[in-house]
Amino acid sequence: MPPYTIVYFPSQGRCEAMHMLLADQGQSWKEEVVTIDTWIQGLLKPTCLYGQLPKFEDRDLTLYQSNAILRHLGCSLGLYGKDQREAAQVDMVNFGVEDLRCKYGTMIYRNYENDKDDYVKALPGHLKPFETPLPQNQGGKAFVVGDQISFADYNLLDLLLIHRVLAPDCLDNFPLLSAYVAHFSARPKIKAFLSSPEHVNHPINGNGKQ
Ligand code: 6SG
Protein backbone atom coordinates (compact mmCIF):
# COMPACT_ATOMS: atom_id res chain seq x y z
CA MET A 1 0.00 0.00 0.00
CA PRO A 2 1.41 3.42 -0.89
CA PRO A 3 1.71 5.64 2.17
CA TYR A 4 -0.05 8.58 0.56
CA THR A 5 -3.69 9.08 -0.42
CA ILE A 6 -4.96 12.16 -2.27
CA VAL A 7 -8.71 12.84 -2.24
CA TYR A 8 -9.73 15.43 -4.83
CA PHE A 9 -12.03 16.33 -7.73
CA PRO A 10 -11.38 14.98 -11.26
CA SER A 11 -9.35 18.04 -12.25
CA GLN A 12 -5.70 19.10 -11.93
CA GLY A 13 -6.59 22.14 -9.83
CA ARG A 14 -4.80 22.30 -6.50
CA CYS A 15 -3.27 18.83 -6.76
CA GLU A 16 -1.10 18.89 -9.84
CA ALA A 17 1.95 20.33 -8.07
CA MET A 18 1.82 17.56 -5.45
CA HIS A 19 1.31 14.96 -8.20
CA MET A 20 4.42 16.23 -10.02
CA LEU A 21 6.40 16.31 -6.78
CA LEU A 22 5.49 12.74 -5.86
CA ALA A 23 6.02 11.42 -9.40
CA ASP A 24 9.40 13.15 -9.72
CA GLN A 25 10.51 11.85 -6.32
CA GLY A 26 9.63 8.29 -7.29
CA GLN A 27 6.80 8.05 -4.77
CA SER A 28 3.54 6.22 -5.31
CA TRP A 29 0.17 7.34 -4.05
CA LYS A 30 -3.46 6.34 -4.06
CA GLU A 31 -5.96 8.61 -5.75
CA GLU A 32 -9.56 8.88 -4.56
CA VAL A 33 -11.60 10.89 -7.04
CA VAL A 34 -14.68 12.71 -5.77
CA THR A 35 -17.07 13.55 -8.60
CA ILE A 36 -18.97 16.84 -8.56
CA ASP A 37 -22.20 14.83 -8.18
CA THR A 38 -20.88 13.13 -5.06
CA TRP A 39 -19.63 16.44 -3.67
CA ILE A 40 -22.95 18.18 -4.31
CA GLN A 41 -24.75 15.44 -2.36
CA GLY A 42 -23.03 17.13 0.57
CA LEU A 43 -22.08 14.22 2.81
CA LEU A 44 -18.32 14.62 2.40
CA LYS A 45 -18.01 18.41 2.80
CA PRO A 46 -18.86 18.53 6.54
CA THR A 47 -16.27 15.83 7.23
CA CYS A 48 -13.50 17.99 5.72
CA LEU A 49 -11.76 20.49 7.98
CA TYR A 50 -12.50 23.83 6.20
CA GLY A 51 -15.16 22.02 4.09
CA GLN A 52 -12.92 21.72 1.04
CA LEU A 53 -10.67 19.36 -0.90
CA PRO A 54 -7.90 18.27 -1.34
CA LYS A 55 -7.62 15.93 1.60
CA PHE A 56 -4.29 14.18 2.01
CA GLU A 57 -3.30 11.21 4.10
CA ASP A 58 0.22 10.18 5.02
CA ARG A 59 -0.43 6.97 6.96
CA ASP A 60 -2.22 8.18 10.12
CA LEU A 61 -1.70 11.90 9.41
CA THR A 62 -4.60 13.67 7.69
CA LEU A 63 -3.99 17.09 6.16
CA TYR A 64 -6.08 19.71 4.38
CA GLN A 65 -4.80 22.84 2.59
CA SER A 66 -2.72 22.17 -0.50
CA ASN A 67 0.21 24.34 0.60
CA ALA A 68 0.45 22.57 3.98
CA ILE A 69 0.52 19.29 2.06
CA LEU A 70 3.28 20.55 -0.24
CA ARG A 71 5.33 21.78 2.70
CA HIS A 72 4.85 18.51 4.57
CA LEU A 73 6.13 16.61 1.53
CA GLY A 74 8.98 19.11 1.27
CA CYS A 75 9.98 18.48 4.90
CA SER A 76 9.60 14.70 4.64
CA LEU A 77 11.39 14.25 1.33
CA GLY A 78 14.21 16.81 1.65
CA LEU A 79 12.71 19.43 -0.66
CA TYR A 80 12.83 22.44 1.63
CA GLY A 81 16.20 24.12 1.07
CA LYS A 82 19.55 23.25 2.59
CA ASP A 83 19.04 25.28 5.77
CA GLN A 84 16.56 27.52 7.56
CA ARG A 85 17.47 30.56 5.44
CA GLU A 86 16.80 28.73 2.21
CA ALA A 87 13.59 27.32 3.72
CA ALA A 88 12.42 30.91 4.29
CA GLN A 89 13.13 31.69 0.62
CA VAL A 90 11.27 28.54 -0.47
CA ASP A 91 8.28 29.77 1.58
CA MET A 92 8.55 33.21 -0.01
CA VAL A 93 8.36 31.81 -3.54
CA ASN A 94 5.58 29.40 -2.57
CA PHE A 95 3.47 32.23 -1.11
CA GLY A 96 4.14 34.19 -4.31
CA VAL A 97 2.84 31.24 -6.32
CA GLU A 98 -0.21 31.06 -4.07
CA ASP A 99 -0.98 34.76 -4.59
CA LEU A 100 -0.98 34.40 -8.37
CA ARG A 101 -2.85 31.07 -8.22
CA CYS A 102 -5.63 32.81 -6.27
CA LYS A 103 -5.85 35.62 -8.86
CA TYR A 104 -5.94 32.99 -11.61
CA GLY A 105 -8.66 31.00 -9.79
CA THR A 106 -10.79 34.12 -9.35
CA MET A 107 -10.55 34.88 -13.07
CA ILE A 108 -11.26 31.25 -14.08
CA TYR A 109 -14.18 30.68 -11.73
CA ARG A 110 -15.80 34.11 -11.42
CA ASN A 111 -16.06 35.64 -14.86
CA TYR A 112 -13.64 34.05 -17.32
CA GLU A 113 -15.15 35.54 -20.49
CA ASN A 114 -15.07 39.09 -19.13
CA ASP A 115 -11.86 39.03 -17.12
CA LYS A 116 -9.47 36.94 -19.20
CA ASP A 117 -8.14 39.76 -21.44
CA ASP A 118 -7.35 42.11 -18.56
CA TYR A 119 -5.79 39.26 -16.62
CA VAL A 120 -3.49 38.33 -19.52
CA LYS A 121 -2.53 42.01 -20.01
CA ALA A 122 -1.45 42.28 -16.37
CA LEU A 123 0.35 38.94 -16.42
CA PRO A 124 3.93 40.12 -17.22
CA GLY A 125 3.97 42.15 -14.01
CA HIS A 126 2.90 39.09 -12.03
CA LEU A 127 5.37 36.73 -13.71
CA LYS A 128 8.41 39.00 -13.41
CA PRO A 129 9.07 38.26 -9.69
CA PHE A 130 9.48 34.59 -10.50
CA GLU A 131 12.18 35.32 -13.07
CA THR A 132 14.15 37.72 -10.88
CA PRO A 133 15.86 35.08 -8.69
CA LEU A 134 16.74 32.83 -11.62
CA PRO A 135 19.99 34.53 -12.77
CA GLN A 136 21.56 33.21 -9.56
CA ASN A 137 20.49 29.74 -10.57
CA GLN A 138 22.47 28.89 -13.69
CA GLY A 139 20.31 31.00 -15.97
CA GLY A 140 17.15 29.04 -15.27
CA LYS A 141 18.83 25.66 -15.51
CA ALA A 142 18.71 25.09 -11.77
CA PHE A 143 16.02 25.72 -9.20
CA VAL A 144 14.26 28.72 -7.82
CA VAL A 145 16.10 28.68 -4.46
CA GLY A 146 19.71 27.58 -3.94
CA ASP A 147 20.95 24.60 -5.90
CA GLN A 148 18.47 21.95 -4.89
CA ILE A 149 14.90 21.30 -5.90
CA SER A 150 12.16 22.32 -3.45
CA PHE A 151 8.40 21.96 -3.17
CA ALA A 152 8.09 25.56 -4.40
CA ASP A 153 9.64 24.49 -7.72
CA TYR A 154 6.83 22.01 -8.37
CA ASN A 155 4.22 24.59 -7.44
CA LEU A 156 5.88 27.20 -9.67
CA LEU A 157 6.20 24.75 -12.58
CA ASP A 158 2.50 23.96 -12.37
CA LEU A 159 1.63 27.66 -12.19
CA LEU A 160 3.73 28.42 -15.30
CA LEU A 161 2.35 25.45 -17.24
CA ILE A 162 -1.28 26.43 -16.63
CA HIS A 163 -0.51 30.01 -17.60
CA ARG A 164 1.05 28.83 -20.86
CA VAL A 165 -2.25 27.09 -21.60
CA LEU A 166 -4.17 30.29 -20.80
CA ALA A 167 -1.83 32.51 -22.83
CA PRO A 168 0.59 30.42 -24.94
CA ASP A 169 3.09 33.27 -25.50
CA CYS A 170 3.10 34.57 -21.92
CA LEU A 171 6.67 33.36 -21.25
CA ASP A 172 8.14 34.59 -24.54
CA ASN A 173 9.60 37.73 -22.95
CA PHE A 174 10.96 35.77 -19.99
CA PRO A 175 13.94 33.81 -21.33
CA LEU A 176 15.00 32.50 -17.94
CA LEU A 177 11.51 31.36 -16.98
CA SER A 178 11.19 29.72 -20.41
CA ALA A 179 14.50 27.91 -19.87
CA TYR A 180 13.39 26.90 -16.38
CA VAL A 181 10.14 25.37 -17.69
CA ALA A 182 11.93 23.60 -20.56
CA HIS A 183 14.66 22.21 -18.35
CA PHE A 184 12.33 21.19 -15.53
CA SER A 185 9.75 19.59 -17.85
CA ALA A 186 12.54 17.49 -19.39
CA ARG A 187 13.37 15.73 -16.10
CA PRO A 188 12.58 12.12 -17.02
CA LYS A 189 9.93 11.48 -14.37
CA ILE A 190 8.28 14.89 -14.92
CA LYS A 191 8.28 14.31 -18.67
CA ALA A 192 6.67 10.90 -18.16
CA PHE A 193 4.07 12.34 -15.78
CA LEU A 194 3.22 15.25 -18.10
CA SER A 195 2.52 12.82 -20.94
CA SER A 196 0.61 10.33 -18.77
CA PRO A 197 -3.17 9.89 -19.07
CA GLU A 198 -3.62 10.97 -15.46
CA HIS A 199 -2.27 14.40 -16.39
CA VAL A 200 -3.42 14.72 -20.00
CA ASN A 201 -6.97 13.49 -19.36
CA HIS A 202 -7.56 15.69 -16.35
CA PRO A 203 -8.95 19.15 -17.11
CA ILE A 204 -6.94 21.93 -15.50
CA ASN A 205 -9.97 23.43 -13.79
CA GLY A 206 -13.21 22.01 -12.43
CA ASN A 207 -15.39 24.22 -14.66
CA GLY A 208 -13.58 23.27 -17.89
CA LYS A 209 -12.16 26.78 -18.48
CA GLN A 210 -8.45 27.06 -19.14
C1 6SG B 1 -12.09 24.10 -4.87
O1 6SG B 1 -10.31 25.80 -3.22
O2 6SG B 1 -12.16 22.48 -8.62
N1 6SG B 1 -10.93 23.59 -2.87
C2 6SG B 1 -12.07 23.66 -3.60
N2 6SG B 1 -14.44 23.45 -3.43
C3 6SG B 1 -15.66 22.87 -2.98
O3 6SG B 1 -17.48 23.27 -1.61
N3 6SG B 1 -7.03 26.76 0.43
C4 6SG B 1 -7.50 25.47 -0.04
C5 6SG B 1 -6.30 24.63 -0.47
O4 6SG B 1 -5.30 25.19 -0.89
C6 6SG B 1 -8.41 25.69 -1.21
C7 6SG B 1 -9.15 24.45 -1.55
C8 6SG B 1 -9.89 24.53 -2.86
O5 6SG B 1 -6.34 23.39 -0.36
S1 6SG B 1 -10.77 23.56 -5.91
C9 6SG B 1 -13.25 23.03 -2.99
O6 6SG B 1 -13.13 22.16 -2.16
C10 6SG B 1 -16.35 23.69 -1.97
O7 6SG B 1 -15.83 24.70 -1.50
C11 6SG B 1 -11.21 24.29 -7.41
C12 6SG B 1 -12.35 23.54 -8.07
N4 6SG B 1 -13.52 24.13 -8.02
C13 6SG B 1 -14.74 23.59 -8.72
C14 6SG B 1 -15.52 22.66 -7.89
C15 6SG B 1 -16.13 21.52 -8.37
C16 6SG B 1 -16.76 20.81 -7.27
C17 6SG B 1 -16.47 21.54 -6.11
C18 6SG B 1 -15.66 22.68 -6.51
C19 6SG B 1 -19.57 22.54 -7.30
C20 6SG B 1 -19.17 23.08 -8.52
C21 6SG B 1 -18.45 24.28 -8.24
C22 6SG B 1 -18.44 24.39 -6.80
C23 6SG B 1 -19.15 23.34 -6.27
FE1 6SG B 1 -17.49 22.63 -7.34
Side-chain angles (χ1 to χ4, degrees):
M1 275 287 283
Y4 306 119
T5 301
I6 296 173
V7 186
Y8 194 57
F9 306 111
S11 56
Q12 297 177 19
R14 285 197 164 270
C15 285
E16 216 54 1
M18 67 186 85
H19 287 154
M20 288 195 283
L21 182 158
L22 289 169
D24 193 43
Q25 296 297 316
Q27 303 291 316
S28 56
W29 69 94
K30 188 171 154 228
E31 199 77 45
E32 285 181 12
V33 177
V34 176
T35 63
I36 309 269
D37 284 351
T38 301
W39 185 256
I40 285 172
Q41 282 168 21
L43 295 176
L44 189 55
K45 187 175 173 79
T47 73
C48 300
L49 192 71
Y50 310 110
Q52 293 196 312
L53 296 175
K55 172 184 177 179
F56 181 87
E57 289 166 338
D58 177 356
R59 301 175 193 87
D60 59 347
L61 173 69
T62 299
L63 290 175
Y64 297 91
Q65 295 292 352
S66 56
N67 288 293
I69 298 162
L70 284 174
R71 185 177 296 153
H72 168 66
L73 290 170
C75 286
S76 323
L77 300 172
L79 311 167
Y80 202 177
K82 72 168 171 9
D83 54 25
Q84 194 277 327
R85 296 173 70 88
E86 280 194 6
Q89 292 175 293
V90 170
D91 281 344
M92 177 178 71
V93 173
N94 203 58
F95 279 116
V97 172
E98 174 62 16
D99 281 356
L100 186 53
R101 190 182 291 285
C102 286
K103 290 187 177 76
Y104 170 87
T106 302
M107 180 275 299
I108 289 283
Y109 284 103
R110 195 193 283 165
N111 198 344
Y112 177 89
E113 283 71 18
N114 234 26
D115 296 350
K116 180 181 167 181
D117 285 354
D118 284 346
Y119 181 88
V120 170
K121 270 190 210 121
L123 200 46
H126 295 304
L127 290 173
K128 182 77 189 145
F130 298 110
E131 180 157 88
T132 304
L134 287 177
Q136 296 149 26
N137 291 293
Q138 300 170 36
K141 294 232 164 69
F143 303 105
V144 79
V145 174
D147 52 17
Q148 64 186 60
I149 198 162
S150 71
F151 66 87
D153 283 295
Y154 298 100
N155 208 9
L156 177 57
L157 177 63
D158 178 59
L159 184 81
L160 297 174
L161 290 175
I162 64 177
H163 277 86
R164 254 196 353 199
V165 172
L166 177 79
D169 53 5
C170 71
L171 299 184
D172 287 1
N173 292 328
F174 295 102
L176 297 180
L177 275 182
S178 298
Y180 173 82
V181 169
H183 193 250
F184 200 164
S185 307
R187 281 166 76 88
K189 289 181 181 140
I190 293 285
K191 194 174 171 198
F193 176 78
L194 291 176
S195 55
S196 71
E198 57 188 304
H199 175 76
V200 173
N201 297 340
H202 263 160
I204 294 176
N205 299 300
N207 62 358
K209 310 271 196 254
Q210 60 179 33

